[in-house]
Amino acid sequence: MGTLKQKTGILLAAAGMIFLAGAASAAEVVVASYGGAFQDAQTKAYFEPYTKATGTKVTGTTGSAYAKVKAMEDSGNVTWDVVSAESSAYANEVKDGLLQPIDYSVVKADGIPEEFRTKYGVGYIKFGQNLAWSKDKFPDGVTPAQFFDPSVKARRVLTSDPYYTLEFALLADGVKASDLYPLDVERGLKVIDRIKDQLIGFKGGSDTQALIQQGEVDLAFGPNGRIGNAIKAGAKWAYGWDASVSDTEYWVVTKSAPHPEEAMKFINFAVQAEQQAELTKQIPYGPTNVDALRLLDPAVAKDLPSYPGNAKRGAILNAEWWRDNLESVKPRWATFIMQ
């Protein structure tokens, strides 16, 4: 029958096995995004509902960027499963073989147009980079040309990346959307240089929103969703669609994802109509799922990048051009913004 000590040991061992089995069955997925209001919206629309529906722990982290995905894969130390990637980052990640194919036997994306259902990613939102202005400083609004007019005195902020920013400068300088590519990088830099002494700096979306809300800038070029949330938070600002630059955000899975099966299940949940519509309610980016649009107030749709009247007033980012040219443009851009 065994001694008490032996029985105790057996019970403890059994308890340990149960604990380990429980720990092994606790599903997890790590999702990398950009922080700030956008990730807050993702948390409410995707992360928390997914955990509630499945019991899977969603760990949201920040820093999404092509360079970080490449560094992780090159070092063999990959901690991200799912990444929210702008089209230019996505194109470079595909080019360098940093992603694994989307498992469309798990990801049911029938409501998403075919052009957004690619081998290595699912386009899940359309967003715009837009010119915005303080209504106190500019009650009559501002044109793109005025943004780059040094005689129009204002504290300005531009996006931190060369893509979007160079397109905006060229559009403001009179280049037609149909003639943007190949980009005239030097011309774009000369346009920006006109007002460089009035720039607060080149900032990411979260910092741009903070500067607007804190009253530290008068003019901004940044993500329409971040600007919209700043306005919701009380900023007396407005934004327009002239010279806007629209782009698509993709869900992708890193090639060496620690939890690839959970990554596919999460993406499947996140591309459904209800969740996409919920994200738009949280932050005004356009869903790609056509059924999600039917769940939104028509008045909301008119303020989205995918609304036809808005799209015609700007340009669409050419991710393929940036895929082939980003590495050559980056050194020139880095030198320019540091001068």
Side-chain angles (χ1 to χ4, degrees):
M1 294 177 65
T3 65
L4 177 61
K5 184 176 181 180
Q6 289 173 324
K7 291 178 180 178
T8 302
I10 292 170
L11 289 170
L12 289 172
M17 290 177 67
I18 292 170
F19 173 78
L20 289 172
S25 65
E28 180 183 6
V29 61
V30 178
V31 183
S33 189
Y34 307 96
F38 182 42
Q39 194 150 338
D40 289 344
Q42 289 176 311
T43 299
K44 293 175 182 175
Y46 301 139
F47 302 173
E48 291 175 350
Y50 185 67
T51 297
K52 184 176 181 180
T54 67
T56 299
K57 178 184 178 183
V58 179
T59 300
T61 187
T62 61
S64 174
Y66 154 71
K68 291 195 176 183
V69 173
K70 189 175 190 311
M72 281 188 181
E73 289 289 351
D74 287 349
S75 69
N77 183 28
V78 179
T79 58
W80 295 350
D81 296 305
V82 179
V83 181
S84 184
E86 295 172 343
S87 66
S88 54
Y90 165 67
N92 277 287
E93 288 158 5
V94 172
K95 179 182 178 182
D96 287 355
L98 305 177
L99 307 175
Q100 58 180 277
I102 299 297
D103 184 352
Y104 285 105
S105 70
V106 175
V107 178
K108 305 300 183 184
D110 295 343
I112 293 177
E114 188 174 354
E115 68 259 32
F116 300 127
R117 288 184 276 124
T118 70
K119 182 176 181 179
Y120 293 100
V122 183
Y124 74 98
I125 59 167
K126 297 285 288 183
F127 66 93
Q129 300 279 352
N130 296 61
L131 167 60
W133 55 89
S134 164
K135 292 166 71 173
D136 287 334
K137 177 80 173 180
F138 298 102
D140 297 325
V142 173
T143 67
Q146 287 175 321
F147 185 97
F148 294 102
D149 183 346
S151 70
V152 179
K153 303 300 181 183
R155 299 167 297 171
R156 296 159 163 86
V157 62
L158 280 168
T159 52
S160 55
D161 295 307
Y163 44 89
Y164 309 128
T165 316
L166 287 171
E167 281 90 345
F168 174 50
L170 291 167
L171 289 167
D173 201 41
V175 178
K176 294 180 180 179
S178 58
D179 297 332
L180 265 182
Y181 300 95
L183 287 183
D184 188 338
V185 173
E186 290 304 317
R187 177 177 174 180
L189 295 178
K190 288 178 181 177
V191 174
I192 298 170
D193 198 52
R194 297 172 192 164
I195 47 85
K196 201 171 180 186
D197 62 342
Q198 297 183 45
L199 280 173
I200 298 297
F202 299 86
K203 302 292 183 180
S206 183
D207 288 336
T208 297
Q209 180 180 339
L211 288 169
I212 290 172
Q213 290 180 206
Q214 294 161 9
E216 296 183 23
V217 289
D218 308 306
L219 294 174
F221 180 69
N224 74 287
R226 306 274 192 171
I227 297 165
N229 274 21
I231 293 169
K232 284 183 184 178
K236 291 182 63 179
W237 277 61
Y239 64 92
W241 292 94
D242 289 338
S244 60
V245 184
S246 298
D247 197 9
T248 302
E249 190 80 10
Y250 286 84
W251 287 127
V252 303
V253 179
T254 55
K255 187 173 184 178
S256 305
H259 313 100
E261 293 181 2
E262 290 303 327
M264 298 300 172
K265 292 176 185 177
F266 170 81
I267 292 175
N268 177 59
F269 179 85
V271 299
Q272 300 310 311
E274 293 79 5
Q275 305 319 129
Q276 283 205 358
E278 184 59 33
L279 182 72
T280 301
K281 293 173 184 177
Q282 297 291 334
I283 193 165
Y285 295 136
T288 56
N289 191 315
V290 295
D291 295 323
L293 292 171
R294 301 188 184 102
L295 302 177
L296 297 172
D297 184 328
V300 172
K302 291 183 178 180
D303 201 32
L304 297 176
S306 51
Y307 187 71
N310 297 336
K312 290 179 181 178
R313 294 163 63 184
I316 297 173
L317 187 87
N318 187 323
E320 287 72 26
W321 190 90
W322 280 108
R323 175 196 63 202
D324 297 335
N325 294 277
L326 178 61
E327 292 307 306
S328 62
V329 172
K330 278 200 304 187
R332 179 72 181 92
W333 177 254
T335 300
F336 175 77
I337 65 176
M338 293 300 292
Q339 288 173 337

